Amino acid sequence: MSIATEQIWQRVRIFFKRIAWKKILTFSFFVLIATILWFMQIYNKSFETTINIPIKYTSVPDSIIFQDSLPSNMVLRVKDDGFAMFRYYFSKRDTLRIDVSSIVQNGSNKILQGNSFDFFIRKSLPISTQILNYEPVRISFAYSALESKKLPVVFDGQLNLSPGYFLNNDIKIRPDSVTAYGSKADLNKLMFAYTVSDTVSGLDQNTRIRYALANKDRIKFSPNIVYIDVSVEAYTQKTVEIPVECLNLPENLTAKLFPSRVKLSFFVGVSKVDSIKDTDFSVAIDYVGLQDSKQASVPVRITSSPGFVRNLTITPPNVQYIFEYKSEAVNND
């Protein structure tokens, strides 16, 4: 340690030795006592303040629409002691929950006000709190009944799979239909319920995606959330070689095809590649329409294949043909 550093530490030690710690501790003790007494006085004193309480409406029937907009929060002027005020400012306020079904089903009175309204508000406040006033002073639940219509759900989106993967099955929408509520005129314009438009990329495993239904003016959907199940599988390419048949060939003719066999290439999921057989496929040309044809070759078409294979291609795509009578040969020229 250098001489300069030693001198600095020496001065610091001398400074702290000169401090009257006993006086400081005594002063701090009395400050603490005064602070406690001040808080006790504040807590016992009544204060007024304005608070904002959110409103949550529960059990809202899907088959109705309210004639007036329902408020999302309530402003209250309250009076309470300092301790309660401390909680109002520094703790999360309870939500005012209103059971709508119990109100709309309770006779003809669809307005929440007076003592009934006070009861709902009181449930979200401490017992010691005095309510001076609140806004709004009433909530109207007057409603109109809606018509209903069941609609199939359509996925309005795009799925982009990772390289080397394809859809193993059609996407499934759960539920596949929803109930729409609205006026008869509005419902008559609807044929489907669409999900919100979206694009999902990089899918490489089975996935369930949550989607909201696209909003429609003056229309309510129940439920308004659906799930899209996407079945994804890695694929591989496979090739089989199969004979070409001639359909609708008269009994007195035989057909010679060049080549007589073609190759079928396709993509198949890795879980099914070993179960694929040549006999699962068939290809053919059709004699009907070829009697007067001047073409030297005809396209080959696939007549049967497993439903789980993709991107079928034929090599070669065309074959040449000669039809022969069983007693003599007749060229297509």
Side-chain angles (χ1 to χ4, degrees):
M1 184 179 295
S2 65
I3 297 176
T5 304
E6 179 64 29
Q7 290 176 348
I8 292 174
W9 279 110
Q10 184 67 24
R11 291 175 183 176
V12 171
R13 285 194 292 269
I14 294 172
F15 172 78
F16 279 104
K17 286 181 180 180
R18 291 177 179 176
I19 295 177
W21 290 105
K22 186 175 181 180
K23 293 181 179 180
I24 292 177
L25 292 175
T26 302
F27 176 77
S28 300
F29 174 75
F30 283 108
V31 169
L32 178 61
I33 295 297
T35 302
I36 293 173
L37 293 175
W38 180 80
F39 271 107
M40 291 177 62
Q41 184 179 8
I42 291 296
Y43 283 165
N44 291 326
K45 188 177 180 180
S46 295
F47 295 90
E48 294 183 9
T49 190
T50 300
I51 61 174
N52 194 308
I53 298 180
I55 302 176
K56 183 176 182 179
Y57 302 95
T58 61
S59 303
V60 181
D62 294 316
S63 58
I64 66 173
I65 185 169
F66 295 107
Q67 296 175 1
D68 300 318
S69 298
L70 301 181
S72 59
N73 58 74
M74 170 163 288
V75 179
L76 293 90
R77 186 70 180 174
V78 297
K79 183 178 181 180
D80 210 331
D81 57 42
F83 181 73
M85 292 299 170
F86 183 84
R87 286 185 298 173
Y88 283 133
Y89 284 112
F90 296 101
S91 63
K92 185 178 179 180
R93 300 186 183 97
D94 291 335
T95 300
L96 178 60
R97 299 178 182 274
I98 300 178
D99 186 349
V100 176
S101 63
S102 64
I103 297 175
V104 299
Q105 296 173 6
N106 186 22
S108 59
N109 185 14
K110 303 298 186 295
I111 298 177
L112 188 61
Q113 61 183 352
N115 293 333
S116 298
F117 204 178
D118 291 344
F119 171 75
F120 280 103
I121 299 173
R122 279 286 177 194
K123 292 192 297 184
S124 62
L125 298 175
I127 298 176
S128 61
T129 299
Q130 178 184 353
I131 301 175
L132 302 178
N133 57 68
Y134 53 82
E135 181 66 30
V137 296
R138 63 195 293 272
I139 299 178
S140 173
F141 292 93
Y143 66 89
S144 299
L146 300 176
E147 299 281 340
S148 64
K149 182 179 181 180
K150 195 168 186 178
L151 299 174
V153 179
V154 175
F155 172 55
D156 186 19
Q158 182 176 345
L159 301 175
N160 297 325
L161 277 61
S162 296
Y165 290 83
F166 64 11
L167 289 177
N168 195 25
N169 289 298
D170 294 336
I171 65 171
K172 291 182 172 57
I173 304 176
R174 304 180 188 278
D176 60 0
S177 61
V178 296
T179 302
Y181 295 94
S183 67
K184 187 174 183 179
D186 288 333
L187 291 177
N188 287 338
K189 300 176 184 178
L190 298 179
M191 297 299 295
F192 303 97
Y194 293 91
T195 65
V196 294
S197 182
D198 187 29
T199 299
V200 180
S201 300
L203 291 175
D204 58 4
Q205 60 183 346
N206 294 343
T207 305
R208 168 169 283 195
I209 309 172
R210 183 179 185 270
Y211 279 101
L213 296 180
N215 291 327
K216 288 287 185 181
D217 291 339
R218 302 182 300 277
I219 296 293
K220 294 171 61 178
F221 293 107
S222 179
N224 61 354
I225 297 293
V226 297
Y227 293 88
I228 307 297
D229 289 334
V230 185
S231 180
V232 176
E233 185 178 17
Y235 66 79
T236 186
Q237 188 175 36
K238 187 172 182 177
T239 301
V240 296
E241 187 174 313
I242 57 175
V244 182
E245 302 176 24
C246 184
L247 303 179
N248 301 311
L249 185 67
E251 293 183 358
N252 63 335
L253 292 179
T254 60
K256 290 186 177 180
L257 306 177
F258 307 95
S260 61
R261 300 174 68 87
V262 295
K263 292 181 179 180
L264 276 180
S265 298
F266 50 87
F267 294 128
V268 60
V270 294
S271 64
K272 296 183 175 68
V273 63
D274 293 333
S275 64
I276 291 287
K277 301 176 182 178
D278 295 357
T279 54
D280 294 331
F281 303 86
S282 61
V283 295
I285 63 171
D286 196 338
Y287 176 80
V288 176
L290 295 179
Q291 302 96 316
D292 301 323
S293 175
K294 302 299 182 181
Q295 300 295 326
S297 62
V298 61
V300 179
R301 61 186 179 90
I302 300 169
T303 54
S304 67
S305 65
F308 50 81
V309 299
R310 303 284 190 276
N311 297 356
L312 279 161
T313 58
I314 305 174
T315 305
N318 300 310
V319 295
Q320 295 179 328
Y321 60 94
I322 294 178
F323 297 129
E324 296 180 343
Y325 288 104
K326 292 183 178 180
S327 58
E328 59 179 313
V330 178
N331 193 288
N332 62 295
D333 293 333

